[in-house]
Amino acid sequence: MIKPFDEPIYMTRPVLPTLEAFNARLAEVWSARWLTNAGEQHERLGRAICDYLDVPEVSLFNNGTIALLAAVRALGMRGEVITTPFTFPATPHAISWSGATPVFCDIDPVTMTLDPARVEALITPKVTGILAVHVYGIPCDVVALQSIADRHGLRLVYDAAHAFGTRINGVGIGNFGDASMFSFHATKLFHSAEGGALTCGSAAVRETFDHLKNFGILNQEEVGVVGINGKMNELQAALGLAVLDCVPDELRCREAIIGRYRERLAGMAGLTLMPELPGVQSSCQYFVVRIDREAFGCSRDVVFDRLKAYNVLARKYFYPLCTDYACYRELPSSAPGLLPVATEIVGQVLCLPLYGTLPFTAVDAIGDMIGEIQEQAC
Ligand code: T4K
């Protein structure tokens, strides 16, 4: 048996700038004596994110979930909102916290994102919008979804939590739909420990996001709407600026690691590697594989448990489906019979360790371990 790793190999590790680089930014915060409420670091990070994502407008937030909530409210997505069950709980929660009801829709068998044909079949007069997720950073069918939204007069918001830096034919992913949400959580390629952003094409819409995240305050004597505190503070923004400097190197390392996984795992029976779509530049946020129990020889859950015995802490993102949570199980759209593709895929997915400092030797060993698990299963 291959020797287990001495230390746990986590699915991800945060990108960390040098302490010196972070301290230099902190020194600026200290000398300005300005800690939150649209300070200098916040403004600089906002401009840098606009440049990096190639979007006209950005509003920074304290985390991605509050950003999503603000987008749903600002864009008036009431009644019912069509979304995917194959995502992190924050996606349907943002709909529910806004007082709307999620309508779960099945996914495409290759991209694992919302299936546009299924979306269209679910539209009723109660539906006001679509909240689609670029799951694992794999882009949704943005053309088909936009056409559906236009034909039915629906809002279209993207949860792009995993898609920082994804491009479709050179176009930044934050340019599609009415708005896109990015998460800057510690586990993301780009992060500010906690944080998030909304991008959009219109300055007027961005202003509504800015008001909503600042209690709805219009000026010192007027509050226009029921807002919330969703502001990113100066410490988060300072960390974000320092991390952003590290992103190009991190991306190069992750691309090389993904290439190595692909070489090592290619052709293994019953294993489907994350799809590579033509014209798409990947965010390299996750490296997900699908394990077909029959063809591979054992189930995803067995591979997960055996990898753990080797000290490899892979993750079953995004198992279970949101429709299996107690808070959504009773919705009519949660019936598993309506979600055959998502129900099959959720039992197959496994995210393997992916972060810039993961050595090739570890990638090779993880490949050998998966091979050994298969040999033992057959
Ligand atoms: N929409 C989607 C589609 C999302 O995936 C998310 C968040 C959101 C919306 C909401 O965005 P935020 O409000 O979070 O900005 C993590 C993250 O907390 C969450 O941000 C993320 N998605 C989700 C997919 O993953 P957990 O509970 O699975 O993370 P945790 O603590 O188990 O950490 C995962 C791995 O990272 C571990 O193997 C260890 C490593 N790790 C983690 C942390 C926090 C570190 O090495 N250092 C760290 O500081 O949720």
Side-chain angles (χ1 to χ4, degrees), residues 10-14 62-66 68 87-91 133 135 159-162 181-188 194-196 286 313 315 317-318:
Y10 292 104
M11 189 215 60
T12 192
R13 302 313 324 259
N62 54 357
N63 64 60
T65 306
I66 297 288
L68 204 51
T87 183
F88 194 65
T91 314
V133 181
V135 70
D159 178 335
H162 311 156
M181 180 282 282
F182 294 85
S183 165
F184 301 160
H185 182 262
T187 53
K188 301 298 187 292
E194 293 272 4
Y286 296 107
L313 308 183
R315 293 296 290 263
Y317 289 143
F318 289 95

Side-chain angles (χ1 to χ4, degrees), residues 41 127 298 308 331 333 349:
Q41 305 291 320
V127 172
C298 64
K308 206 193 257 179
L331 289 174
S333 64
V349 284

Side-chain angles (χ1 to χ4, degrees), residues 189-243:
L189 168 85
F190 166 73
H191 72 89
S192 52
E194 293 272 4
L198 291 175
T199 62
C200 59
S202 135
V205 172
R206 196 254 308 139
E207 274 172 30
T208 64
F209 297 155
D210 289 345
H211 286 141
L212 266 187
K213 75 178 176 197
N214 190 28
F215 313 99
I217 291 174
L218 295 176
N219 58 50
Q220 289 192 6
E221 299 189 1
E222 274 181 290
V223 173
V225 285
V226 182
I228 198 164
N229 184 353
K231 290 169 280 128
M232 175 182 280
N233 68 47
E234 287 293 274
L235 303 182
Q236 288 174 292
L239 179 59
L241 283 164
V243 170

Side-chain angles (χ1 to χ4, degrees), residues 11 86 108-113 133-140 161-167 173 189 251 254-255 257-268 270-278 280-292 315 317-318 345 348-354 370:
M11 189 215 60
F86 188 60
D108 177 272
V110 175
T111 64
M112 298 175 271
T113 60
V133 181
H134 302 301
V135 70
Y136 309 118
I138 302 167
C140 296
H162 311 156
F164 189 86
T166 298
R167 284 173 181 264
I173 195 91
L189 168 85
L251 206 50
R254 288 187 183 205
E255 279 165 357
I257 290 167
I258 290 172
R260 192 83 172 195
Y261 269 130
R262 287 194 183 280
E263 269 172 36
R264 182 60 191 78
L265 300 175
M268 201 177 268
L271 204 67
T272 306
L273 308 184
M274 185 160 170
E276 290 178 289
L277 304 182
V280 170
Q281 190 176 318
S282 166
S283 63
C284 297
Q285 174 60 49
Y286 296 107
F287 185 67
V288 66
V289 298
R290 283 169 57 186
I291 296 158
D292 178 283
R315 293 296 290 263
Y317 289 143
F318 289 95
I345 286 178
Q348 299 182 330
V349 284
L350 194 62
C351 284
L352 299 179
L354 176 63
I370 294 173

